[in-house]
Amino acid sequence: MEESSVVPAIEVKGLVRRFGEMTALDHVDLAIRPGEFFSLLGPSGCGKTTLLRIVAGLDLADEGSVSIAGVDASETPAHQRPVNTVFQSYALFPHLSVRDNVAFGLRMKKVAKAEIAERVRAALELAQITTLADRKPSQLSGGQKQRVALARALINEPKVLLLDEPLGALDLKLRKELQVELLALQRRLGITFVFVTHDQEEALVMSDRIAVMKAGRIEQLGDAETLYERPRTRFVGRFLGSCNLLEGRINEVGAEDFEVESAHGRVRALLPPPPADPPTVGAQATLAIRPEKVRLLAGDVSREAPNRLCLQVSEQIYVGSQSHYLFSAREGYWSATTLNSRAGAQQFALGDLVTLELPPSALVLLED
């Protein structure tokens, strides 16, 4: 079946939400596919949680529409929408056991007792909390509470599960463990997950597609590899990890690559793939390159050659599997990352003169 014929699990059109003079969402259009793990990624205040709350029916848009599985839900109250939401705060009832917390929604719907018992059993098993069924929330760790919140949401068999930074309150090790579990759970269930996070690595690890948001708009949407390898703007490049920027003027465009004259000399880069506009001679250009793509050569190695910068190590950071280097430059600093694949000392020391080689295939032409 062609993708265009598939009814989106969630579709928003022209969504606007204002709080006084502040615009939280600015004419957002978005279609989320059935069965995908979709992330809304961005800094605090970018509008991602507001968008999630409008989809959930917990807030109302000033303009635009929301459809769920092809049905307009703009006027549908939250409790009648086929979605469930998991919050960072867990929102568990402290006086109820884990079993009763999970069963609460079904009891409110007056589902038969026998069916409730069976669905609760299955939900506890799915979330791997069967042994915790008789405990109260005060007797649980943060990770266990999050599993209870997931089980309570999934027991209602929603078409879409909305997750608002559900792992944000957990420590790093547990967060990484639950990332893997949550992704595996979504794959088993096959339902649509919409995940809000400000954690770049979390989004890259878990998502089929990511919408990077800035100031109430979607800055770029795509799969994790595309967003990381080919960011369109400075914001996306720097928000999804770090990147070095090189500015200059385009002085030559060939069949497969183009050349930029920069403060560091001549730099060649491959032409951007369609549908991006090709560069034009005489235009200003900004190139981006990830720190791990930069090749480091000891000493001043043919710095007059294209794509080579000769800089001095100004900072050296050892982080176990990798070493991060900062290099002083007139426009600020450059960064590079190397793998510590061999035992022994780091490759370069403070003050060392190092040649940075920039592979043409690793340089990305930004739109801004």
Side-chain angles (χ1 to χ4, degrees), residues 163-198:
L163 303 109
D164 189 7
E165 305 214 37
L167 311 181
L170 306 178
D171 64 72
L172 180 61
K173 184 174 184 296
L174 181 56
R175 193 161 70 240
K176 287 183 177 294
E177 290 175 358
L178 285 185
Q179 285 172 11
V180 176
E181 289 186 21
L182 194 60
L183 182 58
L185 179 64
Q186 190 269 341
R187 294 291 187 255
R188 289 203 305 273
L189 294 173
I191 67 175
T192 305
F193 277 30
V194 183
F195 189 86
V196 163
T197 182
H198 64 271

Side-chain angles (χ1 to χ4, degrees), residues 86-279:
V86 177
F87 300 98
Q88 181 178 332
S89 61
Y90 316 126
L92 303 178
F93 297 109
H95 61 289
L96 298 181
S97 68
V98 166
R99 180 182 288 105
D100 290 336
N101 262 286
V102 173
F104 184 81
L106 297 183
R107 286 175 179 159
M108 291 297 99
K109 294 178 180 178
K110 302 189 183 304
V111 175
K113 287 185 178 180
E115 183 180 347
I116 290 176
E118 175 55 28
R119 286 170 66 175
V120 167
R121 182 201 63 76
L124 294 176
E125 185 176 320
L126 189 66
Q128 301 178 26
I129 51 173
T130 301
T131 58
L132 308 177
D134 296 320
R135 294 190 190 180
K136 298 287 178 64
S138 60
Q139 299 172 300
L140 304 177
S141 68
Q144 290 169 338
K145 289 177 183 177
Q146 195 55 270
R147 287 187 173 91
V148 176
L150 280 168
R152 186 177 60 183
L154 291 170
I155 200 171
N156 291 309
E157 300 176 348
K159 292 181 179 178
V160 178
L161 186 64
L162 309 173
L163 303 109
D164 189 7
E165 305 214 37
L167 311 181
L170 306 178
D171 64 72
L172 180 61
K173 184 174 184 296
L174 181 56
R175 193 161 70 240
K176 287 183 177 294
E177 290 175 358
L178 285 185
Q179 285 172 11
V180 176
E181 289 186 21
L182 194 60
L183 182 58
L185 179 64
Q186 190 269 341
R187 294 291 187 255
R188 289 203 305 273
L189 294 173
I191 67 175
T192 305
F193 277 30
V194 183
F195 189 86
V196 163
T197 182
H198 64 271
D199 187 308
Q200 303 92 326
E201 182 180 333
E202 194 165 79
L204 290 172
V205 166
M206 302 175 72
S207 312
D208 295 313
R209 289 191 303 154
I210 304 167
V212 181
M213 297 189 67
K214 175 189 177 187
R217 294 186 174 188
I218 295 175
E219 187 86 350
Q220 188 173 347
L221 189 155
D223 60 70
E225 183 177 356
T226 298
L227 292 180
Y228 186 82
E229 298 290 346
R230 304 214 67 85
R232 291 208 307 258
T233 65
R234 296 168 188 246
F235 176 80
V236 174
R238 286 178 162 168
F239 195 78
L240 279 171
S242 61
C243 66
N244 302 295
L245 300 180
L246 185 71
E247 297 182 348
R249 185 180 296 274
I250 299 171
N251 59 20
E252 181 186 321
V253 178
E256 297 181 349
D257 61 3
F258 63 100
E259 185 178 88
V260 172
E261 188 66 43
S262 74
H264 295 283
R266 293 173 294 120
V267 177
R268 299 199 73 86
L270 298 186
L271 292 174
D277 294 329

Side-chain angles (χ1 to χ4, degrees), residues 310-324:
C310 188
L311 301 173
Q312 196 171 40
V313 177
S314 60
E315 191 62 67
Q316 171 197 70
I317 305 168
Y318 176 79
V319 290
S321 62
Q322 298 177 328
S323 289
H324 301 314

Side-chain angles (χ1 to χ4, degrees), residues 279-340:
T280 56
V281 173
Q284 290 292 323
T286 301
L287 300 173
I289 184 170
R290 297 291 184 188
E292 70 274 14
K293 310 285 189 183
V294 177
R295 296 172 184 163
L296 301 182
L297 308 171
D300 183 356
V301 183
S302 303
R303 62 174 164 180
E304 296 303 319
N307 293 55
R308 286 188 173 179
L309 294 65
C310 188
L311 301 173
Q312 196 171 40
V313 177
S314 60
E315 191 62 67
Q316 171 197 70
I317 305 168
Y318 176 79
V319 290
S321 62
Q322 298 177 328
S323 289
H324 301 314
Y325 296 96
L326 296 183
F327 300 89
S328 298
R330 281 171 291 181
E331 69 275 18
Y333 66 86
W334 276 69
S335 60
T337 299
T338 61
L339 283 174
N340 295 324

